[in-house]
Amino acid sequence: MAGVAVSTTINGDHVEYLCQPDETLLDVLRDRLGLTGAKEGCGTGDCGACSVILDNRLVCSCLVLGAEAEGRQVETIEGMAHGDQLHPLQQKFLEHAALQCGICTPGFLIAAKDLLAKNPSPTEEEIRFGLAGNLCRCTGYDKIVRAVQDAANVMKGA
């Protein structure tokens, strides 16, 4: 099979790669570009572990073809921190112990970032709804919700 040439922006950096026509964006990120933060939990878009932001829209990268990133903006977990400075969501996940095994954590963080970009002051119900596409088998959801609430307060300066 001939490769598909893709030119895109990932975490603010211009990136070019070759991928197979049937290769998922998740596989491209992990196997071709070394961005291993997004995880494959289910491969069917049900768990959210592979969540990325594509053109300001939260998507499961296991359901997007790598070729579909052509000319688009992709944000992954690797782009959240600025050098050694963690994003407030990352810091609050640590402070609230909102993670255990870590498989789901990148997806939750990306989903929470997307939620807070669209709604900087979500209610608990809105947070739970905004994170409903992400599954966790270890921590339960209360610590995650509290971490997002706390990060939202920090991010809006409260």
Side-chain angles (χ1 to χ4, degrees):
M1 240 193 249
V4 176
V6 177
S7 178
T8 188
T9 302
I10 300 178
N11 299 323
D13 296 326
H14 178 73
V15 176
E16 293 182 358
Y17 58 83
L18 286 174
C19 66
Q20 295 302 313
D22 61 348
E23 194 171 2
T24 67
L25 179 57
L26 175 62
D27 288 337
V28 168
L29 291 170
R30 292 182 59 79
D31 300 337
R32 296 193 183 276
L33 303 177
L35 299 173
T36 58
K39 309 291 188 242
E40 182 168 359
C42 66
T44 58
D46 294 317
C47 74
C50 67
S51 295
V52 299
I53 299 172
L54 182 64
D55 287 342
N56 297 312
R57 183 172 165 234
L58 185 67
V59 299
C60 291
S61 62
C62 71
L63 299 179
V64 176
L65 294 174
E68 291 181 274
E70 171 64 34
R72 299 174 83 180
Q73 303 276 334
V74 181
E75 296 177 54
T76 71
I77 188 67
E78 288 86 356
M80 275 188 80
H82 295 287
D84 291 340
Q85 181 67 41
L86 293 178
H87 187 282
L89 280 162
Q90 292 170 309
Q91 186 61 46
K92 294 305 178 183
F93 265 57
L94 289 172
E95 290 175 16
H96 287 271
L99 54 116
Q100 282 186 16
C101 82
I103 296 293
C104 69
T105 306
F108 269 105
L109 285 166
I110 289 293
K113 181 181 182 207
D114 180 67
L115 170 67
L116 295 182
K118 294 173 178 154
N119 180 358
S121 300
T123 64
E124 179 180 338
E125 183 178 356
E126 290 168 329
I127 292 170
R128 290 183 183 276
F129 184 80
L131 301 179
N134 296 77
L135 302 178
C136 176
R137 296 178 182 167
C138 299
T139 64
Y141 300 93
D142 289 332
K143 291 179 181 181
I144 293 169
V145 170
R146 284 195 300 273
V148 174
Q149 287 173 320
D150 199 4
N153 288 331
V154 167
M155 291 169 66
K156 65 183 177 189

